Amino acid sequence: MTALRSPSARTGPARRAGWTTARITSAVTGLLLTLCSLGALGAGGVALWASTTQRHSGYIGLGSWSYRTTGYAVVSSTAGLYGATGGLPVPRSLLGTVRITVSAAPGTSSVFAGITPAAAARHYLAGVSYDTVRGITHYHPVYTRHPGGAPATAPTRAGIWAIRAAGPGHQTLVWPDHSGSWTVAAMNADGSRLVAVHISIAASLSSLPWIAAALLAAGVLGLATGLALSAVPARRAASHRAQALRNN
């Protein structure tokens, strides 16, 4: 007589049903990848929005702040030109060309704005009473006070500036950001004390459209992969469980 064979003997070794370690690992990886992809899509969307709707005359505004000192000058930190933005965390490779607009406060004299190598700024301001802007906290600038007296030479007569502008109203500096350490200085044009200015920063951010496209592409690809990694093991686990219930 021929022995009866069980269903498992007829169909070969049964695959493991339910949530195996491999399927759990795949689902968790897919979930994490999906969350990261959503973040990339959000960042890419913001970058695309800024590049297409916030660009005016080729520049995107990074912010504006009012500065005031009882000394003779307000200067940026020397950790790079980005210090003029109040320490905004914008990589200098992304900034491109920077536009700095300095406006004198109402009732004040003509304003002076200039950019110079940090070493030249330290030499010019040695022994001068001025404030260094170290950053922005709760929308207010944070200063470091340097005690001293008046500058020996008015800023308009100092030959240290790589670029400069002086006069009443709004003065604009357009600066293709160079390597090295530079200092941005705002003073009264006559070199007098009690400086009050409003500074607006904008940058060309020429790489922003490419960054937006890369983030969106990475987000779409990552989202599709993450959903596949999560959905496939879930579908197989459910299918195997249904098959097991039918066999029972």
Side-chain angles (χ1 to χ4, degrees):
M1 295 178 63
T2 302
L4 294 176
R5 287 184 292 178
S6 64
S8 61
R10 290 195 301 268
T11 59
R15 289 180 295 179
R16 296 181 64 186
W19 282 99
T20 64
T21 301
R23 288 171 188 154
I24 293 174
T25 301
S26 177
V28 171
T29 302
L31 178 60
L32 293 176
L33 185 57
T34 299
L35 293 176
C36 293
S37 300
L38 292 176
L41 288 171
V46 171
L48 182 62
W49 167 80
S51 181
T52 55
T53 67
Q54 302 303 301
R55 190 179 298 276
H56 305 287
S57 302
Y59 292 90
I60 296 176
L62 300 180
S64 60
W65 301 269
S66 294
Y67 300 96
R68 183 180 299 272
T69 178
T70 57
Y72 295 87
V74 175
V75 305
S76 70
S77 68
T78 57
L81 184 59
Y82 83 96
T85 68
L88 286 177
V90 181
R92 67 186 310 145
S93 59
L94 176 61
L95 282 174
T97 301
V98 178
R99 186 182 67 191
I100 303 172
T101 302
V102 181
S103 306
T108 61
S109 60
S110 296
V111 70
F112 172 90
I115 300 176
T116 185
R122 287 193 297 269
H123 179 74
Y124 173 68
L125 294 171
V128 175
S129 173
Y130 70 99
D131 283 350
T132 298
V133 180
R134 296 189 290 106
I136 303 294
T137 302
H138 302 298
Y139 302 99
H140 297 290
V142 179
Y143 301 101
T144 295
R145 169 57 59 89
H146 304 271
T153 305
T156 53
R157 295 200 300 269
I160 64 171
W161 310 105
I163 184 173
R164 45 163 280 181
H170 307 294
Q171 302 300 317
T172 300
L173 303 175
V174 177
W175 181 250
D177 194 15
H178 298 298
S179 60
S181 188
W182 300 85
T183 293
V184 182
M187 305 175 66
N188 293 326
D190 59 1
S192 60
R193 65 186 312 163
L194 301 178
V195 178
V197 294
H198 187 80
I199 298 180
S200 299
I201 309 294
S204 61
L205 299 178
S206 54
S207 301
L208 194 59
W210 297 101
I211 293 174
L215 287 171
L216 291 173
V220 170
L221 179 61
L223 183 62
T225 304
L227 290 176
L229 287 173
S230 300
V232 170
R235 184 177 60 192
R236 287 180 176 175
S239 175
H240 292 164
R241 186 180 180 197
Q243 182 65 38
L245 290 176
R246 285 195 298 269
N247 291 338
N248 292 334

